[in-house]
Amino acid sequence: MRLLVAGIILFTCWPLIFAQNTRVDHLVVYKRERKLVLLSQGKELRSYKVALGGEPVGPKTRQGDHRTPEGLYVLDSRNPNSHYYKAFHISYPNAKDVAAAKRSSVSPGGEIMLHGLPKDYAWVGKAHVLHDWTDGCVAVTNEEMDEIWKLVRVGTPIEIKP
């Protein structure tokens, strides 16, 4: 009986054990599907439902537009003490974003993050994805953020697609 229980535990935990020892080398956000995918060597390790900026259609063009940017960026730092539980900073704006904003005589904005829920709203859990509520960030549950925190390193590219 103990052997059977041990086998079941090992079998059900194997994907988590494997993923924790696998390096995530790329993240992709599919805005239309509200989905974040963690990849290793082109293979999907994990995926999560996400909430985006309150105006999710189209790329971010200026500060205050409540849009989530589109393009290739890098997770360039992380903050374990963020107001939104834990947070990775996304390297928006890139040179292309800055040039486009300059042509329109506006600020491109910044402080775009991949983060968990606000500390006072952790109880909302997975229901947070029923509404796009961020100011342009990508949000997951706090439990999901804990998993991402363990699997993703600073310097990992993140691609945000329409």
Side-chain angles (χ1 to χ4, degrees):
M1 183 64 168
R2 285 187 212 163
L3 186 58
L4 177 62
V5 171
I8 291 171
I9 291 171
L10 182 60
F11 180 74
T12 57
C13 293
W14 177 252
L16 186 58
I17 292 167
F18 175 74
Q20 287 178 342
N21 293 324
T22 302
R23 184 171 180 274
V24 172
D25 56 26
H26 193 84
L27 288 79
V28 180
V29 175
Y30 297 94
K31 288 173 55 175
R32 192 171 297 115
E33 291 84 11
R34 308 298 192 279
K35 183 178 177 180
L36 167 66
V37 178
L38 276 55
L39 300 165
S40 179
Q41 299 178 0
K43 294 182 182 170
E44 183 177 318
L45 293 180
R46 293 272 189 282
S47 69
Y48 308 91
K49 287 297 207 182
V50 298
L52 302 171
E55 297 290 332
V57 178
K60 184 167 192 63
T61 59
R62 60 179 172 77
Q63 184 173 352
D65 65 6
H66 302 285
R67 290 186 175 162
T68 302
E70 295 174 2
L72 185 58
Y73 305 96
V74 173
L75 299 175
D76 58 9
S77 66
R78 56 196 227 163
N79 182 355
N81 301 310
S82 168
H83 173 73
Y84 292 97
Y85 187 58
K86 294 177 180 173
F88 281 95
H89 182 263
I90 297 172
S91 65
Y92 174 87
N94 61 25
K96 181 180 172 186
D97 300 318
V98 170
K102 189 174 184 177
R103 283 192 302 275
S104 299
S105 300
V106 297
S107 168
E111 294 304 309
I112 302 299
M113 308 280 180
L114 164 59
H115 60 67
L117 303 177
K119 291 184 173 132
D120 292 341
Y121 292 92
W123 58 271
V124 173
K126 290 185 183 264
H128 84 99
V129 300
L130 297 175
H131 176 71
D132 288 313
W133 55 270
T134 77
D135 285 333
C137 298
V138 179
V140 295
T141 69
N142 293 354
E143 294 79 13
E144 292 165 339
M145 193 65 204
D146 280 335
E147 188 172 83
I148 294 165
W149 199 257
K150 291 175 188 172
L151 295 171
V152 177
R153 296 179 182 151
V154 169
T156 303
I158 181 168
E159 186 175 3
I160 305 173
K161 297 184 174 196

